[in-house]
Amino acid sequence: MPPFPIDRYLLPETPIEVPDGFTEVRQRLTAGLPHRVELGAGVHAVLILPTGLARQWLHTDPLAVVSGSADDLAPRPAPPAVPPPPALAGRVPLRLVVRQGTRILGSVPLAAGLRRVCPDAGPAVAAGSTPVTVEVVVLSWLLHAGTVRGSGDYGSSIALAWRRADRAADEFGPPPINEFVWRRRPPAQRVESELGPGRLRYRYLLDKKLRRVLR
């Protein structure tokens, strides 16, 4: 069955798996913020926390958790019958600035399982330059207050995955069959095979003009 249209907006399963074709990068944050993460192909990401409140962090317990991916993956309680009054957001604005040298390719907010292509349509492309295009996946992170204040090993870490997104595919073929079209064909013209639990399912039509694979 094809994926549900809003699956990409739902909370991912834990732990978040590295997609096929992506390279995983895990680092401990021991040099404070901003923290640079080398991705490859001349591209790196810089983890920043733009708060502008230095005094607040000086008086905070260094081991206090500022932000973590566990918050994104935790189940949410049912909303109350009477909505609470509006309040300021309590989530810190952690984000990754993806750069190629000194060129900024994009900005990725930290959200568990978020996938973002950088640059997405950017002004650099419109200007006629040719930046490297990468896709970044946020896997997990944990940030303690001591890391925001400065260097030191306070247990903070970040995990990302990335891939080049500006290369053409090396495999070509006809587009997949729509599942509803496949079901409407006579049974004698349908061939289906399943490789095992959780494996790909292939469906073929015997009509040569409509022969496609449905995964």
Side-chain angles (χ1 to χ4, degrees), residues 5-28:
I6 65 170
D7 272 355
R8 59 184 299 185
Y9 302 107
L10 303 180
L11 288 177
E13 298 180 356
T14 53
I16 301 172
E17 296 183 355
V18 179
D20 293 339
F22 283 73
T23 301
E24 182 179 0
V25 179
R26 292 183 178 270
Q27 291 187 359
R28 296 185 66 85

Side-chain angles (χ1 to χ4, degrees), residues 2-122:
F4 199 63
I6 65 170
D7 272 355
R8 59 184 299 185
Y9 302 107
L10 303 180
L11 288 177
E13 298 180 356
T14 53
I16 301 172
E17 296 183 355
V18 179
D20 293 339
F22 283 73
T23 301
E24 182 179 0
V25 179
R26 292 183 178 270
Q27 291 187 359
R28 296 185 66 85
L29 310 179
T30 58
L33 295 182
H35 177 82
R36 176 168 171 155
V37 182
E38 294 293 341
L39 299 179
V43 177
H44 65 273
V46 181
L47 178 64
I48 62 172
L49 177 59
T51 64
L53 303 174
R55 186 181 299 275
Q56 169 187 343
W57 304 113
L58 293 176
H59 300 284
T60 303
D61 180 3
L63 297 181
V65 176
V66 176
S67 178
S69 54
D71 294 338
D72 284 358
L73 303 174
R76 296 290 187 264
V82 178
L88 294 176
R91 185 181 180 119
V92 294
L94 267 175
R95 60 184 53 250
L96 290 164
V97 178
V98 181
R99 309 190 345 170
Q100 179 186 1
T102 59
R103 182 204 308 273
I104 296 178
L105 300 180
S107 179
V108 182
L110 254 64
L114 177 66
R115 295 176 61 161
R116 180 68 56 85
V117 176
C118 300
D120 50 2

